[in-house]
């Protein structure tokens, strides 16, 4: 199946023939990619698979070949029958299945379906068997240091009876200690502590100790007590048959209400075992047979009584409390029947046969009640899991009207407190769940942190679904229930009291459509209320448009004005920049441009980041990869960060808009802004070189051979930077923005808004090459080459200016009015001295024409190599990964086919290498 060097086979993991993921709920699908990644890695770890193609191959295949699977009763039964046919020990499988089913284990049926599909695949089975054999051989020599050991005498010596008895006791103690569940008192304390920890201000009410210390109040058998009939004077077997029968009827009437008889006594119960009884062995066989038929009713009574006494405690929650109350109501009818039988017995009108006749109708009811009690107890069910068990029982009894009616009564009674919590949640957005039974769980998260902490997940984690608390009949509606309450809760957090106008009482019924309609009505109401609140009152679209003005640079005059004002300040090292000065310049630029009409302009702020944009992006992209530790632990660069590299905007967003424009979204906006801002900065540098070149034409510099090459290279760099900017702003951001705006108009709920907004940002980041480390590094190098070239050209131009100034200052010139005065001579001499000093310090910049030519040639070579590499990588990604928008960059930069031939040659070389 899986092994070193083995590629996955479609027959083993093809979702068209089998289902790998048993989870089919929508909440799980939202995190499907991460869940599949986790499950595949865990499976490879369990199978001890090393080497091969790694987990990524299997993950990719699973993501492309998966379909949701909803288990039905028919499919689950068919899968179970199929496994029984293939299994060597079908009895063990059925026993285990029934045990897990009685514990209400979630996803049991999807797992059985998966196993049935695996059992049909002989090749997969063979691989699994071989894998299991290898693992067992590898671990066969390893002995557990924690195993219990006993000093067993050598086999050559014969064990005495005393030693044998001691060994039996020790083994019995070990077995008992491993099988005996926690006592009810310990369980109650654990549940109480868990509740008090979660709700310290609302401790659980506790019954007084005497309720538990006085066993006679329970109504169950008291082991070790004196039998009801007193000490037997003579053995019951020595009496005549009529006397034996009357004695046994008398005993049975006591045993049926939880009191030991004279000839029938109850055995002590260990853990969750069923009650068993000891009958006097001297009893006549015919009577004993009839008694054994009646005794199961007493065992059922004991099970139900213990269950109702234990689960009625506050610690077990309101659902179990309501269930025990309903069971007690049914038990009253049973006790009335026993009382009536006792009355007949006193009148001498009750024989053993009549007792068996009268008790038979009740036996089925008691059996069902005891079975439910045992299942709830074994599964440690509370809240939604109890309701799931009751619902499944009710559904499974289809065809047995009496049993189904009984289970329906219990489910309706038990669901009342759960539906009360549900109604408050979907009608008002309030959770009142003191015993942690409801499917939605609240976590202590502060909404103020959405704007501060990048990792805060208020919307996703403030309220979450707890899978095992979802009743099976509400499984399909779980996500709508969660969203409905969340929507109303957001509006409530803003100080508004909202209540669904269509609020009606929800009652359990086998016809799910009844409460499904109520949940859907409240969902649509909550969606509309919150969406209208954000869109109209809080002006969400206008806010997003305001953010677009600044972070995506669609206010051109504002940015030109702002960059002119802050150019000198941002050239400084980031530690030397005074943020209030930048804030003042930002304010000035906002007031003196078209941005002044923006009503939200005051929410724009300055932010100086600790890393440049490339480092920040690479750190984000390295998360959960092999390079993560290396990048995070890397030594900080020795080059001081300039203001231009650290500069970014920030934006103040208040609740509830911070649900949409949270810190994660703002960080994405910042990445896009810093990327475009740096491109704009490089463009300005190249334009300044053009201006300097125009000025330098008056010098002899322009006649040098390298000057024309430098001018052409500068033009190519400017063409590259401007085309990249145009592509990002007009072929990526603007179309994607219009798509998002149209989608927001048709959004029906806040989750759609979140999805569209996140999709917009993700698409922008991806199409702007910010999510691909390989493209990002090449682009970063290209920008660095452009910046170094501009610096070099500025030094050359400055050197020529200084040289000319030096020559001018050597002339003893005067003015048109006559010879220079003494003061003018002093000024000239000072200028000459300073210029000479500067030239001496920068003599390395004044080199020969041949050195200049070699430098420009090197810049040209580096730029051309990197640009070709970028175009080649873009061609590969646009073809292999279907990133069709990126191919527009190639069309723009290679508009005249200048690079086409070289790109084709690189593609041929790459294909030859792949073939080799």
């Amino acid at each position: 199946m899986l092994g070193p060097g083995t590629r996955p086979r479609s027959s083993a993991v093809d979702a068209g023939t089998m289902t790998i993921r048993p989870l089919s709920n929508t909440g799980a699908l939202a995190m499907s990619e991460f869940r599949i990644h986790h499950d595949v890695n865990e499976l490879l770890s369990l199978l001890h698979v090393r080497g091969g193609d790694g987990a990524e191959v299997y993950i990719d295949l699973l993501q492309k070949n998966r379909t949701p699977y909803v288990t039905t009763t028919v499919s689950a039964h068919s899968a179970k029958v199929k496994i029984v046919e293939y299994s060597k020990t079908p009895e063990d499988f059925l026993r285990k299945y029934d045990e897990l089913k009685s514990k209400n284990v979630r996803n049991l049926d999807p797992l059985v379906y998966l196993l049935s599909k695996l059992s049909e695949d002989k090749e997969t089975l063979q691989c699994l068997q071989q894998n299991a054999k290898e693992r067992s051989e590898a671990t066969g020599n390893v002995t557990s240091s924690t195993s219990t050991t006993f000093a067993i005498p050598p086999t050559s010596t014969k064990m005495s009876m005393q030693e044998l008895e001691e060994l039996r006791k020790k083994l019995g103690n070990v077995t008992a200690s491993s099988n005996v569940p926690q006592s009810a008192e310990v369980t109650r304390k654990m549940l109480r502590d868990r509740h008090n920890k979660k709700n310290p201000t609302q401790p659980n009410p506790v019954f007084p100790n005497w309720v538990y210390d006085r066993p006679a109040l329970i109504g169950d058998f008291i082991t070790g007590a004196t039998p009801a009939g007193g000490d037997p004077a003579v053995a019951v077997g020595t009496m005549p048959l009529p006397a034996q029968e009357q004695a046994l009827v008398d005993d049975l009437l006591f045993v049926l209400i939880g009191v030991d008889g004279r000839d029938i006594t109850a055995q002590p119960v260990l853990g969750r075992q069923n009650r068993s009884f000891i009958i006097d062995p001297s009893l006549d066989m015919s009577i004993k047979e009839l008694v054994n038929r009646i005794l199961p009713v007493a065992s059922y009574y004991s099970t139900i009584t213990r269950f109702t006494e234990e689960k009625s405690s506050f610690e077990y929650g309101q659902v179990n409390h309501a269930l025990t109350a309903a069971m007690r109501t049914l038990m009253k009818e049973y006790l009335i029947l026993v009382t009536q039988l006792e009355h007949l017995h006193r009148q001498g009108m009750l024989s053993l046969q009549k007792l068996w006749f009268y008790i038979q109708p009740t036996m089925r009811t008691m059996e069902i009640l005891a079975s439910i009690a045992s299942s709830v107890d074994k599964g440690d069910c509370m809240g939604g899991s109890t309701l799931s068990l009751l619902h499944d029982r009710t559904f499974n009894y289809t065809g047995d009207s009496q049993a189904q009616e009984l289970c329906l009564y219990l489910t309706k009674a038990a669901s009342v407190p759960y539906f009360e919590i549900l109604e408050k949640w979907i009608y008002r957005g309030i959770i009142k769940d003191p015993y942690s039974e409801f499917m939605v769980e609240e976590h202590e998260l502060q909404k103020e942190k959405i704007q501060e902490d990048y990792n805060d997940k208020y919307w996703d984690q403030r309220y979450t679904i707890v899978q095992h608390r979802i009743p099976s009949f509400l499984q399909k509606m779980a996500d709508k229930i969660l969203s409905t309450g969340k929507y109303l809760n957001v509006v409530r957090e803003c100080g508004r009291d909202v209540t669904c106008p269509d609020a009606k009482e929800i009652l359990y019924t086998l016809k799910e459509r009844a409460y499904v309609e109520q949940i859907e009505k409240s969902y649509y109401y909550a969606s509309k209320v919150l969406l209208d609140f954000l869109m109209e009152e809080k002006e969400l679209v206008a806010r997003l448009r305001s953010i677009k003005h600044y972070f995506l640079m669609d206010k051109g005059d504002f940015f030109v004005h702002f960059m002119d004002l802050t150019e000198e300040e941002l050239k400084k090292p980031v530690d030397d920049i005074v943020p209030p000065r930048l804030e003042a310049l930002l304010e000035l630029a906002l007031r003196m441009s078209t941005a002044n009409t923006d009503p939200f302009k005051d929410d724009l702020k300055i932010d100086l980041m600790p890393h440049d944009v490339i480092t920040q992006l690479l750190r984000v992209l390295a998360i959960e990869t092999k390079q993560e530790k290396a990048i995070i632990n890397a030594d900080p660069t020795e080059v001081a960060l300039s203001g231009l590299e650290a500069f970014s905007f920030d934006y103040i967003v208040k609740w509830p808009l911070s649900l949409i424009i949270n810190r994660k979204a703002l960080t994405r906006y910042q990445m896009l802004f810093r990327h475009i801002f740096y491109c704009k900065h490089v463009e300005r540098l190249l334009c300044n070189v053009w201006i300097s070149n125009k000025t330098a034409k008056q010098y002899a510099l322009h006649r040098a051979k390298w000057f024309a090459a430098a001018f052409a290279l500068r033009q190519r760099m400017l063409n590259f930077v401007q085309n990249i900017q145009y592509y990002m702003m007009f072929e990526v951001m603007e179309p994607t923005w219009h798509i998002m705006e149209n989608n927001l108009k048709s959004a029906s709920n806040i989750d759609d808004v979140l999805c569209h907004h996140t999709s917009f940002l993700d698409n922008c980041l991806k199409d702007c090459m910010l999510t691909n480390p390989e493209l990002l590094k090449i682009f970063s190098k290209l920008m660095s080459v452009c910046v170094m070239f501009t610096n070099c050209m500025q030094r050359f131009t400055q050197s020529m200016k200084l040289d000319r100034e030096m020559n001018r200052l050597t002339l003893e010139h005067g003015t048109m009015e006559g010879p220079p005065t003494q003061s003018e001579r002093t000024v000239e001499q000072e200028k000459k001295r300073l210029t000479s000093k500067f030239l001496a310090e920068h003599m390395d910049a004044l080199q020969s024409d041949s050195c200049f030519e070699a430098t420009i040639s090197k810049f040209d070579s580096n730029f051309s190599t990197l640009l070709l590499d970028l175009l080649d990588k873009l061609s590969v990604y646009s073809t292999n990964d279907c990133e069709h928008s990126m191919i527009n960059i190639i069309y723009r930069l290679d508009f005249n086919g200048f690079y086409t031939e070289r790109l084709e040659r690189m593609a041929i070389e790459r294909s030859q290498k792949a073939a080799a």
Side-chain angles (χ1 to χ4, degrees):
M1 179 181 179
L2 299 172
T6 304
R7 296 194 66 83
R9 297 176 303 102
S10 60
S11 60
V13 291
D14 188 358
T17 58
M18 60 179 284
T19 302
I20 295 297
R21 298 180 67 257
L23 294 176
S24 59
N25 58 79
T26 314
L29 287 174
M31 294 292 287
S32 58
E33 182 180 348
F34 302 101
R35 184 59 185 267
I36 290 175
H37 196 285
H38 169 76
D39 289 346
V40 168
N41 280 297
E42 190 172 359
L43 180 60
L44 291 177
S45 175
L46 289 172
L47 294 175
H48 294 200
V49 174
R50 298 289 183 271
D53 298 317
E56 297 300 328
V57 177
Y58 307 108
I59 293 165
D60 184 58
L61 189 60
L62 285 171
Q63 286 176 340
K64 292 177 181 176
N65 299 283
R66 63 194 172 111
T67 53
Y69 169 69
V70 180
T71 314
T72 63
T73 306
V74 176
S75 63
H77 180 73
S78 301
K80 186 170 67 171
V81 170
K82 195 172 293 181
I83 292 178
V84 168
E85 291 176 359
Y86 283 98
S87 176
K88 294 179 181 178
T89 55
E91 297 84 4
D92 293 341
F93 168 75
L94 290 173
R95 191 182 306 112
K96 191 65 180 178
Y97 178 85
D98 292 337
E99 179 188 342
L100 294 174
K101 199 69 176 175
S102 69
K103 291 182 179 180
N104 197 34
V105 173
R106 290 301 177 104
N107 300 315
L108 177 61
D109 288 335
L111 175 63
V112 170
Y113 180 84
L114 170 62
L115 293 175
S116 71
K117 289 296 180 185
L118 283 173
S119 65
E120 295 175 347
D121 193 329
K122 295 182 180 179
E123 189 177 348
T124 301
L125 279 178
Q126 188 176 355
C127 289
L128 288 173
Q129 288 168 357
Q130 181 64 27
N131 184 277
K133 184 179 178 181
E134 291 172 0
R135 285 188 291 121
S136 62
E137 289 174 356
T139 58
N141 297 326
V142 181
T143 56
S144 175
S145 58
T146 57
S147 59
T148 308
T149 59
F150 302 109
I152 300 178
T155 54
S156 58
T157 60
K158 190 175 181 180
M159 293 179 66
S160 65
M161 291 299 295
Q162 184 179 358
E163 289 174 335
L164 184 63
E165 190 62 31
E166 288 178 2
L167 181 59
R168 185 184 291 114
K169 284 182 179 178
K170 288 180 180 179
L171 291 172
N173 291 336
V174 171
T175 306
S177 63
S178 61
N179 292 332
V180 175
Q182 293 178 333
S183 66
E185 184 180 352
V186 173
T187 306
R188 282 196 300 270
K189 185 178 185 305
M190 182 182 68
L191 292 170
R192 196 182 308 124
D193 292 343
R194 187 192 303 167
H195 170 84
N196 293 341
K197 185 178 180 181
K198 186 178 178 182
N199 303 297
T201 57
Q202 298 178 346
N204 257 335
V206 182
F207 283 129
N209 289 333
W210 58 264
V211 173
Y212 307 108
D213 295 340
R214 297 173 66 179
L217 294 174
I218 297 176
D220 193 19
F221 296 92
I222 304 172
T223 55
T226 305
D231 294 329
V234 292
V236 69
T238 61
M239 299 179 184
L241 280 179
Q244 287 187 34
E245 184 178 352
Q246 288 303 312
L248 264 296
V249 169
D250 194 51
D251 270 13
L252 282 171
L253 290 174
F254 280 110
V255 170
L256 289 174
I257 57 173
V259 181
D260 280 333
R262 188 185 69 174
D263 302 308
I264 305 174
T265 54
Q267 289 281 78
V269 177
L270 184 63
R272 297 188 173 108
Q273 294 178 355
N274 292 326
R275 180 78 68 179
S276 59
F277 299 90
I278 299 175
I279 306 173
D280 192 317
S282 64
L283 194 64
D284 185 79
M285 288 302 296
S286 60
I287 296 177
K288 186 185 288 187
E289 178 64 26
L290 204 50
V291 169
N292 283 329
R293 291 184 186 179
I294 299 172
L295 280 180
V297 181
S299 179
Y300 300 150
Y301 171 82
S302 175
T303 301
I304 297 165
T305 302
R306 279 180 284 126
F307 174 79
T308 54
E309 287 298 326
E310 181 184 348
K311 302 300 180 183
S312 60
S313 297
F314 296 106
E315 292 82 2
Y316 291 97
Q318 300 177 80
V319 172
N320 282 343
H321 188 81
L323 176 61
T324 56
M327 282 188 170
R328 281 197 173 109
T329 301
L330 295 172
M331 290 291 285
K332 285 180 182 177
E333 298 179 6
Y334 167 78
L335 293 173
I336 290 171
L337 172 64
V338 175
T339 304
Q340 292 172 346
L341 292 174
E342 187 178 354
H343 183 66
L344 289 174
H345 178 56
R346 287 177 181 174
Q347 295 177 346
M349 300 171 62
L350 186 65
S351 64
L352 206 53
Q353 287 288 349
K354 284 186 177 180
L355 177 59
W356 168 240
F357 174 77
Y358 287 127
I359 209 72
Q360 279 189 74
T362 311
M363 182 176 281
R364 178 63 173 154
T365 301
M366 297 294 285
E367 182 186 3
I368 293 171
L369 293 179
S371 173
I372 291 172
S374 296
S375 296
V376 172
D377 198 30
K378 286 179 182 177
D380 293 322
C381 299
M382 284 181 62
S385 57
T386 299
L387 293 180
S388 293
L389 190 145
L390 290 170
H391 171 76
D392 292 343
R393 289 295 178 91
T394 306
F395 189 82
N396 291 338
Y397 280 129
T398 302
D400 186 345
S401 58
Q402 184 181 357
Q404 189 176 49
E405 188 177 347
L406 174 63
C407 289
L408 186 61
Y409 167 77
L410 292 175
T411 312
K412 281 184 176 179
S415 64
V416 169
Y418 193 92
F419 279 140
E420 286 177 356
I421 302 171
L422 176 64
E423 287 167 12
K424 284 186 179 178
W425 175 245
I426 65 172
Y427 292 154
R428 302 185 62 194
I430 297 173
I431 279 191
K432 192 174 181 182
D433 181 23
Y435 303 106
S436 301
E437 299 173 280
F438 191 50
M439 69 173 78
V440 179
E441 187 173 44
E442 182 178 7
H443 303 278
E444 291 298 325
L445 292 175
Q446 298 177 1
K447 59 179 181 289
E448 291 77 13
K449 286 189 177 180
I450 299 179
Q451 270 299 101
E452 301 168 6
D453 186 5
Y454 177 84
N455 290 317
D456 187 78
K457 299 178 181 178
Y458 182 90
W459 182 251
D460 293 327
Q461 294 187 358
R462 172 73 191 277
Y463 297 102
T464 57
I465 288 283
V466 183
Q467 286 296 326
H468 68 270
R469 296 185 199 165
I470 306 175
S472 54
F473 53 88
L474 292 178
Q475 184 75 51
K476 296 177 184 177
M477 303 298 295
D479 290 304
K480 281 194 174 181
I481 291 170
L482 174 66
S483 299
T484 302
K486 281 167 68 175
Y487 297 160
L488 294 176
N489 186 264
V490 171
V491 181
R492 182 174 293 280
E493 290 272 356
C494 297
R496 293 193 169 196
D497 189 14
V498 287
T499 304
C500 179
D502 297 324
K504 293 180 182 178
E505 184 182 6
I506 301 176
L507 298 173
Y508 174 79
T509 171
L510 285 175
K511 298 177 182 178
E512 294 183 8
R513 194 65 206 164
Y515 44 76
V516 166
E517 286 178 358
Q518 276 304 115
I519 293 169
E520 286 180 343
K521 283 181 182 178
S522 57
Y523 171 75
Y524 292 130
Y525 169 77
S527 302
K528 187 175 186 305
V529 165
L530 180 58
L531 197 61
D532 292 347
F533 181 68
L534 289 177
M535 290 291 192
E536 296 173 10
E537 188 168 331
K538 296 298 179 180
E539 300 178 284
L540 174 62
V541 176
R543 279 280 181 182
L544 290 173
R545 200 172 287 120
S546 172
I547 290 174
K548 177 174 176 278
H549 291 333
Y550 309 116
F551 286 87
L552 304 186
M553 289 191 176
D554 74 345
K555 289 284 185 184
D557 64 321
F558 160 70
F559 277 99
V560 171
H561 198 54
F562 176 75
M563 294 181 83
D564 288 341
L565 289 171
T566 59
E567 186 172 15
E568 293 302 319
E569 188 73 17
L570 291 177
K571 284 180 180 177
K572 300 176 183 177
V574 68
D575 295 332
D576 297 340
I577 293 177
V578 183
R581 177 169 172 76
L582 278 180
E583 294 280 0
L585 293 173
L586 172 64
E587 181 77 13
L588 183 62
L590 286 169
R591 303 296 176 193
M592 296 180 67
S593 65
T594 55
N596 192 39
T597 58
D598 180 16
F600 309 115
K601 60 182 178 294
D602 294 331
D603 291 330
L604 186 67
K605 300 297 175 187
I606 296 292
D607 192 10
L608 296 175
M609 310 293 283
H611 306 286
D612 62 88
V613 63
I614 303 298
T615 305
Q616 182 187 14
L617 283 163
L618 290 176
R619 287 169 70 96
V620 171
L621 294 173
I623 292 173
E624 293 185 359
T625 65
K626 295 177 181 178
Q627 293 80 22
E628 179 177 14
K629 188 177 290 186
I631 289 179
I632 291 175
N633 296 333
D635 294 331
T637 177
E638 295 179 1
V639 181
L641 206 63
S642 69
L644 278 163
E645 293 170 320
F647 177 77
S648 180
F649 282 142
D650 201 1
Y651 203 84
I652 299 172
V653 188
K654 296 180 180 178
W655 177 266
L657 289 176
S658 53
L659 285 173
I660 310 298
I661 314 168
N662 50 31
R663 176 48 55 189
K664 280 192 174 181
L666 282 173
T667 303
R668 289 185 175 101
Y669 277 117
Q670 284 180 332
M671 289 175 180
L672 289 167
F673 167 76
R674 295 179 74 192
H675 188 54
I676 306 170
F677 185 76
Y678 195 71
C679 289
K680 190 70 74 175
H681 163 64
V682 174
E683 181 191 11
R684 285 170 65 91
L685 290 178
L686 290 167
C687 289
N688 289 338
V689 170
W690 179 82
I691 294 170
S692 300
N693 287 349
K694 290 294 182 185
T695 308
K697 280 187 175 182
Q698 60 187 299
Y699 310 128
L701 183 70
H702 77 280
R703 288 193 296 272
K705 183 180 178 181
W706 62 266
F707 185 80
F711 193 90
L713 178 59
R714 193 264 318 153
Q715 190 60 35
R716 284 175 60 208
M717 288 180 172
L718 188 61
N719 177 67
F720 165 72
V721 174
Q722 287 178 338
N723 274 289
I724 285 289
Q725 284 186 82
Y726 183 92
Y727 161 75
M728 290 191 295
M729 298 184 71
F730 295 102
E731 293 188 14
V732 174
M733 294 177 186
E734 279 298 326
T736 315
W737 170 267
H738 285 296
I739 290 170
M740 183 188 73
E741 266 197 326
N742 291 332
N743 287 336
L744 290 182
K745 292 175 184 177
S746 60
S748 59
N749 56 61
I750 200 66
D751 283 304
D752 288 348
V753 174
L754 272 166
C755 181
H756 294 321
H757 185 230
T758 304
S759 177
F760 160 72
L761 289 171
D762 289 344
N763 288 335
C764 286
L765 286 168
K766 181 188 68 177
D767 291 339
C768 290
M769 302 181 289
L770 298 183
T771 58
N772 189 313
E774 200 170 3
L775 294 176
L776 195 60
K777 287 175 183 176
I778 299 172
F779 186 82
S780 172
K781 290 176 183 177
L782 276 166
M783 290 289 105
S784 298
V785 169
C786 292
V787 172
M788 286 189 287
F789 171 77
T790 58
N791 292 338
C792 182
M793 288 301 296
Q794 291 290 5
R795 284 201 305 272
F796 289 161
T797 308
Q798 187 67 23
S799 299
M800 294 302 102
K801 283 183 179 179
L802 290 172
D803 192 29
R804 181 178 174 82
E805 183 69 15
M806 184 68 178
N807 293 332
R808 189 185 69 80
L809 292 174
T810 57
L811 300 175
E812 293 293 337
H813 62 280
T815 64
M816 293 179 64
E817 297 177 358
T821 62
Q822 184 63 35
S823 61
E824 287 175 339
R825 287 179 182 277
T826 305
V827 173
E828 293 270 346
Q829 288 174 356
E830 181 63 22
K831 285 182 178 180
K832 185 175 181 180
R833 187 185 66 80
L834 292 173
T835 304
S836 299
K837 181 182 177 183
F838 185 87
L839 287 173
E841 292 174 354
H842 296 78
M843 190 56 66
D844 58 332
L846 296 173
Q847 303 173 12
S848 63
D849 283 359
S850 60
C851 291
F852 290 159
E853 187 175 352
T855 303
I856 296 303
S857 176
K858 189 174 181 180
F859 274 122
D860 194 329
S861 174
N862 289 340
F863 180 78
S864 298
T865 303
L866 289 169
L867 183 56
L868 271 171
D869 195 14
L870 178 67
L871 293 176
D872 184 49
K873 291 289 190 297
L874 286 171
S875 176
V876 172
Y877 287 121
S878 62
T879 305
N880 296 349
D881 297 346
C882 300
E883 302 295 349
H884 301 304
S885 58
M886 287 185 183
I887 206 167
N888 292 336
I889 305 177
I890 301 176
Y891 295 148
R892 289 197 153 275
L893 298 177
D894 190 29
F895 63 93
N896 59 355
F898 180 75
Y899 300 107
T900 303
E901 183 180 346
R902 294 161 79 179
L903 286 172
E904 288 175 353
R905 196 181 311 128
M906 292 173 73
I908 293 170
E909 291 174 0
R910 188 170 53 252
S911 62
Q912 288 174 348
K913 286 181 181 179

